[in-house]
Amino acid sequence: MSVQACAELVQRGDPDRFLAAMAAPPAARAVLFPLYALNLEIARAPWVTAEPMIAEMRLQWWRDALDEIAKGGAVRRHEVVTPLSEVLDATGAALLGGLADARRWDIYRDPFEDAAHFDRYINATSGHLIWTAARLLGAADEAEPVIRDLAHAAGVANWLLAIPELEARGRIPLVDGRPEGVSALASRALMRLRSARQQRRQVPASAGPALYAAWRAGPVLQAAARDPSRVIDGQLQTSEFKRRGGLLWASLTGRW
């Protein structure tokens, strides 16, 4: 039950976040790997069974574990929960509980109600995760709007990358799946990304590693905005050289 066990889980199941965490200083990794392992396990929970009730029970298990951390008392022993309890505070536990609640959408086949519902989902999943990581690494409350703008862009980019698989699993992942709707969605996310970057000075350098996980957002969103057909075709991926080069640039310069 260690950070190393969390790192191994993330390496196997979430290679992008694994690379982002490995680009961080060792002290930051001790925070990021338990958070990313939790996120991975919660994200998996709705998909490991075709039975909605079992998926609900799996998500509730994680919700209960986070409630234990939030209360500050005894916490169940588990390879992810135990190291997470050593770095997560009550505020962060409550936010990640909201992340788990949002993932209940993944269990069912209902579409998003509207664009506001989709934005709430992205904010609760990508936003709560990245903001919690940044808080634990030293970001003040004043930086939250900037970080949530970046997190929105990252969440939308990751969602667009997942569209082919989501549709193959019978989900309706977009409020407006027309090419112009996809392009508009990516363009709005790009605007929030640019806004965040213009205000990056509000984010302390210590919290920068929490934002490395968004390093792919710009190229993915630009490609989707220019040619929405690439979303459905699963052609948003960049070359491995550009993928790793973008992260290296962010980690060396701190300019996420």
Side-chain angles (χ1 to χ4, degrees):
M1 297 185 187
S2 66
V3 173
Q4 180 62 32
C6 292
E8 291 171 0
L9 281 172
V10 177
Q11 184 178 23
R12 292 192 299 270
D14 193 346
D16 278 355
R17 285 196 176 90
F18 175 78
L19 289 175
M22 288 302 295
R29 291 178 209 163
V31 173
L32 295 175
F33 275 129
L35 286 175
Y36 293 167
L38 172 81
N39 180 66
L40 175 64
E41 294 295 342
I42 289 175
R44 281 175 171 169
W47 303 99
V48 295
T49 175
E51 294 294 333
M53 183 176 294
I54 296 175
E56 289 273 8
M57 291 171 62
R58 286 177 177 272
L59 279 177
Q60 189 60 45
W61 190 95
W62 290 103
R63 192 67 171 87
D64 292 344
L66 288 163
D67 287 343
E68 292 170 2
I69 295 174
K71 291 174 183 176
V75 176
R76 64 193 68 188
R77 287 180 58 79
H78 181 270
E79 64 178 349
V80 174
V81 178
T82 300
L84 182 69
S85 68
E86 296 171 358
V87 299
L88 189 62
D89 59 10
T91 299
L95 284 171
L96 296 177
L99 184 158
D101 291 341
R103 285 292 183 185
R104 288 194 163 94
W105 182 91
D106 298 351
I107 297 174
Y108 304 100
R109 297 175 184 267
D110 299 328
F112 289 107
E113 297 168 6
D114 49 29
H117 183 198
F118 175 81
D119 285 349
R120 289 195 300 273
Y121 176 91
I122 295 296
N123 187 50
T125 51
S126 181
H128 287 359
L129 177 65
I130 294 180
W131 169 236
T132 297
R135 274 187 63 253
L136 295 177
L137 294 179
D141 290 346
E142 291 76 12
E144 182 175 0
V146 177
I147 292 168
R148 285 195 181 271
D149 275 346
L150 181 87
H152 176 86
V156 171
N158 288 335
W159 192 253
L160 292 175
L161 286 167
I163 292 297
E165 182 176 356
L166 289 167
E167 291 192 335
R169 289 174 176 261
R171 301 304 194 266
I172 305 172
L174 294 170
V175 176
D176 184 352
R178 297 173 303 156
E180 54 267 38
V182 174
S183 181
L185 175 65
S187 296
R188 287 193 297 269
L190 272 173
M191 289 178 61
R192 294 187 66 170
L193 177 62
R194 290 166 185 151
S195 176
R197 287 173 170 169
Q198 289 168 359
Q199 302 176 77
R200 60 165 54 94
R201 290 185 179 179
Q202 295 188 33
V203 181
S206 64
L211 312 185
Y212 292 170
W215 97 91
R216 299 183 65 197
V220 168
L221 293 172
Q222 289 166 6
R226 284 194 306 266
D227 184 1
S229 67
R230 294 177 64 179
V231 175
I232 303 303
D233 295 339
Q235 298 297 318
L236 290 178
Q237 297 282 359
T238 56
S239 69
E240 187 66 11
F241 176 79
K242 288 184 177 179
R243 174 172 170 264
R244 290 179 179 263
L247 176 59
L248 178 62
W249 184 86
S251 63
L252 290 177
T253 65
R255 294 178 63 85
W256 36 264

